[in-house]
Amino acid sequence: MAQTTTQTVEQTLSIIKPDAVGQNMIGNIIEYFEREGLSVVATKMLHLTAAQGKEFYAVHKERPFFQELVDFITSGPVLIMVLEGENAIARNREIMGATDPQKAAPGTIRADFATSIDRNAVHGSDNKENAKAEISYFFKPNEIFSRA
Ligand code: ADP
Ligand code: MG
């Protein structure tokens, strides 16, 4: 019987945060995703309003740093992307590295570009359900160009 391999092509939301955009690191960061086999299938630059910041980070509204989080994500333009590839959700999280750059593995985006836990260069969806919700928060279906 022929061997079959199961490929789970997923899409996930990635945001290059205001710190990394401000440091002119957009191209450098996208390179980390592309060289690991993830493809950018949608993108837009936005400067989020306070209302959008609060809505996007609503899952964190009880956390003590919620206001700082909203203030930071709205402090400048962000590059919002849909990344696509095999196991894209988990792969993106690996490429990003741990939330706290001090704990992020060498060669990850956060190890290489983040300056602190709150200025940590990138956002990435953490599971399938959130990926779907976050993608649809920013993109209409006809703004996403799957290459799967
Ligand atoms: P991640 O971005 O790795 O998924 P979380 O979802 O736990 O991390 O947190 C969302 C964001 O909130 C983080 O990326 C970071 O910017 C900020 N954050 C998380 N923990 C802290 C903390 N202890 N102090 C300040 N900011 C934090
Ligand atoms: Mg998270």
Side-chain angles (χ1 to χ4, degrees):
M1 203 165 88
Q3 190 97 29
T4 54
T5 50
T6 312
Q7 298 219 329
T8 315
V9 175
E10 293 175 336
Q11 293 182 344
T12 190
L13 191 87
S14 170
I15 302 180
I16 302 181
K17 294 184 179 183
D19 54 335
V21 172
Q23 289 158 21
N24 214 23
M25 290 296 152
I26 290 172
N28 286 283
I29 289 174
I30 289 177
E31 170 76 16
Y32 280 58
F33 300 128
E34 291 188 334
R35 77 174 175 221
E36 291 295 327
L38 297 182
S39 301
V40 177
V41 296
T43 189
K44 63 177 65 164
M45 184 174 274
L46 291 177
H47 190 149
L48 300 182
T49 64
Q52 284 173 313
K54 282 186 190 154
E55 201 170 16
F56 178 72
Y57 275 137
V59 291
H60 298 302
K61 65 178 185 295
E62 306 305 337
R63 297 176 84 171
F65 51 83
F66 180 64
Q67 191 56 50
E68 286 94 315
L69 191 56
V70 173
D71 288 347
F72 172 60
I73 203 69
T74 60
S75 66
V78 292
L79 194 82
I80 307 169
M81 296 175 280
V82 178
L83 300 177
E84 182 181 80
E86 217 177 308
N87 298 315
I89 299 167
R91 289 293 297 119
N92 179 36
R93 300 284 313 186
E94 286 167 16
I95 297 164
M96 288 164 61
T99 308
D100 180 350
Q102 304 247 347
K103 298 184 181 143
T108 61
I109 292 171
R110 282 167 165 170
D112 291 352
F113 300 103
T115 47
S116 62
I117 193 165
D118 48 339
R119 299 174 65 83
N120 62 2
V122 279
H123 166 86
S125 307
D126 59 357
N127 62 45
K128 263 184 204 258
E129 192 188 352
N130 287 340
K132 199 166 179 234
E134 290 178 3
I135 289 169
S136 63
Y137 185 68
F138 287 115
F139 296 95
K140 301 188 188 94
N142 69 359
E143 293 173 330
I144 302 168
F145 299 89
S146 173
R147 284 182 263 142

